[in-house]
Amino acid sequence: MTVEISNEKCGHIANCPVDGLCIQICEQKALVEKDNDVEIVNENCNDCGLCISNCPNQAITQV
Ligand code: SF4
Ligand code: SF4
């Protein structure tokens, strides 16, 4: 399992109200910065749900 990030709701890290917090709180390094955007490393995600509950834009969902 992994997560999905809505382009509509997230935008780019530069527009993130919490400066890309999802990347910092993901202990599995499943969210990484790439070209001012959030890239998901599917195989690293352990479905902890931390990023989902901490994104102020509700941009992240489990898939
Ligand atoms: S915390 Fe939410 S809005 Fe901010 S970069 Fe992550 S997914 Fe995008
Ligand atoms: S659910 Fe947990 S492991 Fe997966 S991307 Fe979010 S914070 Fe990282």
Side-chain angles (χ1 to χ4, degrees):
M1 299 266 276
T2 184
V3 294
E4 194 171 69
I5 298 180
S6 159
N7 286 334
E8 257 175 44
K9 293 181 180 172
C10 172
H12 300 285
I13 293 171
N15 300 325
C16 174
V18 287
D19 293 327
L21 177 68
C22 57
I23 293 172
Q24 297 159 40
I25 62 171
C26 178
E27 294 172 353
Q28 308 302 318
K29 299 194 180 354
L31 301 176
V32 295
E33 181 173 353
K34 190 181 180 195
D35 301 329
N36 193 34
D37 229 331
V38 185
E39 186 172 79
I40 303 168
V41 185
N42 292 329
E43 60 269 30
N44 287 357
C45 177
N46 70 356
D47 296 320
C48 73
L50 264 183
C51 60
I52 295 172
S53 53
N54 282 281
C55 172
N57 290 0
Q58 280 98 44
I60 311 178
T61 49
Q62 198 170 53
V63 289

